[in-house]
Amino acid sequence: MDDQYIYKQNHPSKNDFHHQTVRQKTGKTYAVESTSRWDKERKTCICDRKVIGHFDPETGEILPNRKRKESTKQTAIAKSAGCSLLFDHAGEKTGLVSALKKVYPNHWEKLLTCAYYLLAEGNALSHCEQWTERNITPLNERFPAQRIFEMLPDFNRDTQMEFFQYWAHKIRENEYFALDITSISSYSSLIKTVKYGYNRDKENLEQVNLGMVVGIKTGIPVYFHTYPGSIHDVSTLQQNLTVFDWLAYKKLHLVMDRGFCSKTNVSDLYAHGLRFTIALSKSLSFTTDAIDEVRSSIHTYSHREVIADEEMFATTSLKEWDGHRCYTHVYYDPRKVSEEEAKFYRKIDVYYQELRSEKLNPEHQKFYDRFFTIERKQHVGRVVMPNDEAILAFQNKYAGYSVIISNDLKDPVEALMVYRAKDRVEKSFDNLKNDLDGKRLRVRSEWAMEGRMFVQFLSLILASYIQRVMREKDLYKNYTMQSIIEEMKILMRITLPRSRKVLYSELTADQKRICEAFGIEAGA
């Protein structure tokens, strides 16, 4: 017999285990696990044996047998690569990649990976981990959600300023920059800057205000800052000007709407030596005086202008503002009379309700005094009455008129075109909220919020470049930015086993048109 069984004899019963040994031709003594069970049908005890190892001849310990060789068969790996090709191109062309490498040499891949995810999916960062497993990314490895949320607080306001200071050197001197503010709602009660204020999305939620500077020609964002949700637009300019001085934003030409207009703000723009173009509020006497001055002469053929297929009247005069030169452009558009009347009466409604409820806004005091009277009547008490004569006179006198001032642009047509082009920043806000998961803050701390907004700012730079190329190449006829991203998602990169060669899936007709428009060599 080749095999000899040696085992400890116990009293076998159901489910007993015995260590048995088997001596084979190899000379090794093997350990066998034996399980006894009773077979009811056959009415006998059946013993199942399984070799679990062999005995060490010196120590007597049971050692595991040599494991079977695991399969070394490798398979090809396929990941989505189209978005990476498109976003890499945008990052290189804008200079974003080089800026991040310079400022954050140890973290730039992580920041860009998160920015790519927001642009590709527009979803919460908590889902980024699964996305990194299926897509080519700058980090090129799985990025766990826990590591992402641990990273965000590191990119607070202090570290962001290092980036903005370097990013400032890439600004073109001939560019105009639009400054505007939007609100982002939040449910968090742990972020100090989340406050109730004027919500631009008409939501009854607390919010954070986000100010942003965007290049009008390129559409590229260059700077952002967060403010408490209760702060008004007009109050934020001074802080921005201080930061611009520190960042050395030289030859900056700011374009702003009347939400930033006040005597103090305009004077501060001059004091900081900035070029600017700003629409004036009709609440300023400077504005109404400028309109009154040209009222009798502006409605003439010599002042008629056609701007973007719209007919209007425009005139310019050189005035003085606190001892500084000021080009004052006055416009009259008869088609806007009824629109402005409705807007003006809505404002009157707000002032009226504030007075009646005695919830006064100090910034509206001059309107209260001009358009309302308040009397104390016996048996009735406090009565607020609109001054219909003053309201009607003001509306009839100034409806359809607008005033833009600039210390740089002399021509009224150019000034209006530059001012109207500031909707680049409004489009950036739309992208941020609707495409980049920026409609709600999904973080619980101040520093995490700042890091989250910074990542979204980076993704907005990439999105702005893509949209700029789409405008220049006339791609909007057939695509939206999101449809381009969706089309590029299906372009796969295939890595073959035991080979350095990388293959790409066959390009679709749309992918070929997209790559050609952007100058991307797919598969290179």
Side-chain angles (χ1 to χ4, degrees):
M1 245 168 70
D2 291 332
D3 299 336
Q4 184 179 4
Y5 295 91
I6 306 171
Y7 57 90
K8 295 179 182 179
Q9 180 66 52
N10 292 328
H11 298 284
S13 62
K14 186 177 180 181
N15 294 330
D16 277 347
F17 295 88
H18 305 273
H19 285 297
Q20 303 179 352
T21 61
V22 180
R23 185 173 300 280
Q24 296 184 330
K25 293 179 181 179
T26 59
K28 289 184 179 181
T29 302
Y30 291 87
V32 178
E33 183 180 69
S34 177
T35 305
S36 300
R37 57 186 176 85
W38 181 257
D39 191 322
K40 292 182 180 180
E41 294 181 359
R42 298 167 60 184
K43 296 181 180 182
T44 185
C45 183
I46 298 177
C47 195
D48 297 322
R49 296 183 177 89
K50 178 183 177 183
V51 178
I52 60 173
H54 63 276
F55 286 96
D56 188 308
E58 295 181 1
T59 65
E61 294 180 356
I62 298 176
L63 303 178
N65 294 326
R66 185 170 57 185
K67 294 182 179 179
R68 294 182 181 179
K69 291 185 178 180
E70 296 181 359
S71 174
T72 57
K73 184 179 180 181
Q74 297 180 358
T75 59
I77 299 174
K79 288 188 176 183
S80 175
C83 287
S84 180
L85 287 172
L86 179 60
F87 301 163
D88 286 349
H89 175 80
E92 294 293 339
K93 289 296 183 180
T94 57
L96 179 62
V97 173
S98 60
L100 289 175
K101 284 182 178 179
K102 177 71 175 180
V103 181
Y104 308 114
N106 299 323
H107 299 286
W108 69 272
E109 299 103 324
K110 300 174 186 176
L111 287 168
L112 271 182
T113 295
C114 291
Y116 281 18
Y117 166 74
L118 288 178
L119 185 52
E121 301 297 327
N123 208 341
L125 279 176
S126 56
H127 302 301
C128 183
E129 180 177 351
Q130 293 80 9
W131 182 81
T132 58
E133 294 175 343
R134 304 187 303 269
N135 291 266
I136 302 298
T137 68
L139 188 60
N140 208 25
E141 65 181 42
R142 180 171 164 269
F143 199 4
Q146 183 63 30
R147 285 174 56 196
I148 294 174
F149 292 117
E150 289 172 353
M151 173 191 77
L152 291 180
D154 294 336
F155 297 95
N156 53 45
R157 195 63 189 164
D158 294 336
T159 56
Q160 289 174 19
M161 295 304 283
E162 297 177 30
F163 173 81
F164 292 133
Q165 192 169 35
Y166 184 80
W167 193 235
H169 296 298
K170 296 183 176 293
I171 298 175
R172 297 179 181 178
E173 293 185 358
N174 296 325
E175 177 67 292
Y176 301 105
F177 297 93
L179 171 64
D180 207 349
I181 287 183
T182 191
S183 53
I184 298 178
S185 301
S186 176
Y187 294 107
S188 177
S189 59
L190 302 177
I191 303 176
K192 294 179 181 178
T193 52
V194 173
K195 303 286 185 182
Y196 278 107
Y198 171 64
N199 193 297
R200 290 149 181 87
D201 297 322
K202 310 301 180 185
E203 296 175 329
N204 187 27
L205 291 171
E206 291 184 302
Q207 65 191 33
V208 169
N209 285 338
L210 174 68
M212 190 177 298
V213 178
V214 176
I216 288 178
K217 294 179 181 178
T218 63
I220 301 296
V222 295
Y223 171 78
F224 83 93
H225 191 71
T226 55
Y227 311 91
S230 57
I231 299 296
H232 296 284
D233 295 8
V234 72
S235 306
T236 63
L237 184 60
Q238 182 59 53
Q239 185 175 2
N240 277 305
L241 295 180
T242 302
V243 174
F244 295 159
D245 287 343
W246 185 83
L247 292 173
Y249 279 11
K250 297 180 179 179
K251 297 185 179 181
L252 188 67
H253 187 130
L254 283 177
V255 182
M256 295 162 287
D257 63 23
R258 58 181 56 87
F260 292 94
C261 175
S262 72
K263 289 182 179 179
T264 301
N265 281 351
V266 175
S267 296
D268 283 343
L269 287 165
Y270 278 111
H272 284 264
L274 295 175
R275 296 176 294 171
F276 65 86
T277 298
I278 185 171
L280 296 187
S281 168
K282 291 177 184 176
S283 63
L284 296 179
S285 58
F286 185 96
T287 308
T288 53
D289 289 345
I291 295 173
D292 291 340
E293 186 179 299
V294 301
R295 185 185 306 281
S296 60
S297 60
I298 195 172
H299 300 273
T300 59
Y301 184 78
S302 60
H303 294 300
R304 177 179 173 272
E305 300 285 355
V306 179
I307 303 174
D309 297 327
E310 296 180 6
E311 294 184 15
M312 63 180 66
F313 300 92
T315 183
T316 299
S317 60
L318 184 62
K319 297 186 180 299
E320 186 178 286
W321 187 295
D322 288 345
H324 299 280
R325 180 183 61 184
C326 176
Y327 296 107
T328 306
H329 309 293
V330 181
Y331 307 89
Y332 177 73
D333 188 343
R335 293 171 301 178
K336 291 190 174 181
V337 171
S338 59
E339 176 186 333
E340 291 188 6
E341 283 180 351
K343 188 175 181 179
F344 175 67
Y345 284 125
R346 286 195 294 271
K347 285 185 178 181
I348 294 296
D349 288 340
V350 172
Y351 306 148
Y352 191 28
Q353 293 302 322
E354 290 174 350
L355 284 169
R356 292 183 66 182
S357 64
E358 297 191 63
K359 296 179 180 178
L360 305 184
N361 184 338
E363 296 180 4
H364 297 164
Q365 187 60 51
K366 56 187 173 183
F367 298 104
Y368 302 151
D369 298 338
R370 184 170 188 174
F371 300 121
F372 299 91
T373 58
I374 301 175
E375 297 181 2
R376 298 280 179 180
K377 294 186 178 181
Q378 192 175 7
H379 306 302
V380 178
R382 182 174 176 274
V383 178
V384 179
M385 294 182 295
N387 187 337
D388 289 329
E389 185 177 345
I391 293 172
L392 187 61
F394 183 88
Q395 186 56 35
N396 288 340
K397 199 173 183 181
Y398 299 109
Y401 286 94
S402 59
V403 177
I404 294 175
I405 63 170
S406 177
N407 62 349
D408 184 41
L409 301 178
K410 304 177 182 179
D411 182 67
V413 175
E414 182 183 6
L416 185 61
M417 293 293 288
V418 168
Y419 176 75
R420 286 183 172 180
K422 72 177 180 57
D423 66 352
R424 290 281 187 273
V425 70
E426 295 172 3
K427 289 179 180 178
S428 293
F429 286 145
D430 287 341
N431 288 338
L432 184 72
K433 291 183 176 183
N434 300 321
D435 296 330
L436 306 176
D437 189 46
K439 199 171 181 65
R440 292 281 189 280
L441 286 175
R442 304 174 190 266
V443 291
R444 297 180 177 275
S445 71
E446 199 83 24
W447 282 18
M449 178 200 72
E450 292 175 353
R452 178 68 157 76
M453 293 306 301
F454 185 59
V455 170
Q456 287 186 289
F457 177 79
L458 300 179
S459 65
L460 188 58
I461 292 174
L462 301 173
S464 299
Y465 173 80
I466 292 171
Q467 291 180 323
R468 173 187 165 191
V469 173
M470 290 179 68
R471 289 192 301 271
E472 293 173 351
K473 300 296 183 178
D474 204 21
L475 294 180
Y476 277 109
K477 284 185 177 179
N478 301 306
Y479 306 98
T480 63
M481 183 180 71
Q482 198 56 45
S483 69
I484 283 180
I485 290 174
E486 292 300 321
E487 183 64 33
M488 293 300 288
K489 283 181 183 179
I490 62 178
L491 177 59
M492 307 299 290
R493 192 181 82 173
I494 302 147
T495 305
L496 300 176
R498 297 183 300 278
S499 173
R500 294 182 179 180
K501 190 173 183 180
V502 174
L503 302 177
Y504 285 86
S505 59
E506 186 71 21
L507 292 177
T508 66
D510 284 326
Q511 288 170 353
K512 288 178 181 179
R513 282 193 288 268
I514 293 167
C515 290
E516 182 180 354
F518 283 88
I520 299 172
E521 295 183 17

